DNA sequence: CCTCTAAATAGAAATGATTTCGTTTTAGAA
DNA sequence: TTCTAAAACGAAATCATTTCTATTTAGAGG
């Protein structure tokens, strides 16, 4: 567990600090995505000192390194999700309970090539995310 | 011209006020996407009084009504684009010159159904956007 | 084990895009 | 033309996120 995360951090060229490991542990245990502040509130107890900016900074770095993934939320706040799927794929995120489900890569690579060929441009990244309500939430009609 | 926009506003159940028409005109003339503040700065001259909140509010309402479309930008600021394509489609946005190119609908509808079927959830919306450099910008190596 | 240095963190303060609020104005139906 | 709900004003507030400088620490090298 710890060792896995430490290894992942090293592989990303980042020091395996206790706080980073704690962030990864907590997010991995999380059933869905979480906000920086939520994580901070829960992690504060485990450290005598832990700044909110540290959580922000690490989440961003970890997401940039591909260790975590970021959720694009309609309310434009930041949310992160621990995703161990190393294949190229996308996410279906529940706006109610925050569950995240993997979506296998679809035809996007082909689309990228198509765009490159037709317009001569270069696709640097793409965003594909399905928003909705997962099975449970759709039944209950819950909203968050 | 004006009439088209007035009609579109009416169709969306919105009053055709001069400011809304001006926003639509300006965005239609724009070659790419623009931020609320940029639009406000340019529109201020045409009105003796025009508040920035008014521009924000209208852009949001117009985008919610589908008259405009919103760009998802890595810097998390708001940008809007005038898009007359009424078919379901997506966008390729240039991060450098802000040009927006249409992408015809790909297999996403099928993917939505697949997700619904497999997980029992309900897909409310999806985000698909390709980010990159358009032909011209890729050649020049420009960045903004 | 120590030492040392670049990297990481603290925490208060700043930032700045976006939103809110109470008031005033206006589009457009009657 | 009148009237009312919708729209706009604009100053002020919000608040998530970032910056900044001083302090601490992981971990490579001895």
């Amino acid at each position: 567990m710890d060792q896995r995360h430490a290894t992942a951090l090293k592989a990303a060229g980042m020091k395996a600090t206790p706080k980073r490991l704690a962030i990864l542990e907590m997010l991995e245990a999380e059933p869905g995505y979480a906000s920086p502040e939520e994580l901070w509130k829960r992690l504060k107890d485990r450290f005598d000192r832990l700044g909110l900016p540290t959580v922000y900074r690490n989440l961003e770095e970890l997401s940039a390194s591909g260790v975590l993934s970021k959720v694009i939320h309609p309310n434009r706040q930041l949310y992160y999700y621990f995703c161990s799927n190393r294949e190229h794929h996308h996410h279906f995120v529940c706006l109610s309970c925050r569950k995240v489900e993997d979506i296998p890569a679809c035809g996007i690579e082909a689309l990228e090539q198509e765009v490159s060929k037709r317009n001569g441009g270069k696709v640097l990244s793409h965003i594909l995310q399905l928003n909705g309500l997962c099975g449970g939430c759709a039944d209950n009609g819950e909203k968050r």
Side-chain angles (χ1 to χ4, degrees), chain A residues 61-114:
Chain A
E61 287 166 2
L62 290 166
S63 138
S65 311
V67 181
L68 295 179
S69 51
K70 198 189 289 198
V71 170
I72 300 152
H73 202 278
N75 72 6
R76 301 178 356 93
Q77 288 184 211
L78 295 171
Y79 296 95
Y80 295 89
Y81 171 62
F82 185 91
C83 179
S84 51
N85 186 341
R86 300 258 66 87
E87 305 296 314
H88 174 80
H89 68 288
H90 299 283
H91 291 139
F92 171 54
V93 305
C94 179
L95 299 179
S96 177
C97 75
R98 303 187 175 189
K99 187 156 53 169
V100 181
E101 289 164 6
D102 285 2
I103 296 171
C106 66
I108 293 196
E109 291 73 16
L111 199 61
E112 284 192 3
Q113 289 180 13
E114 168 76 14

Side-chain angles (χ1 to χ4, degrees), chain A residues 15-27:
Chain A
K15 288 189 181 175
T17 70
K19 286 163 188 180
R20 282 179 180 160
L21 293 171
I23 287 173
L24 289 177
E25 261 178 53
M26 179 140 287
L27 258 187

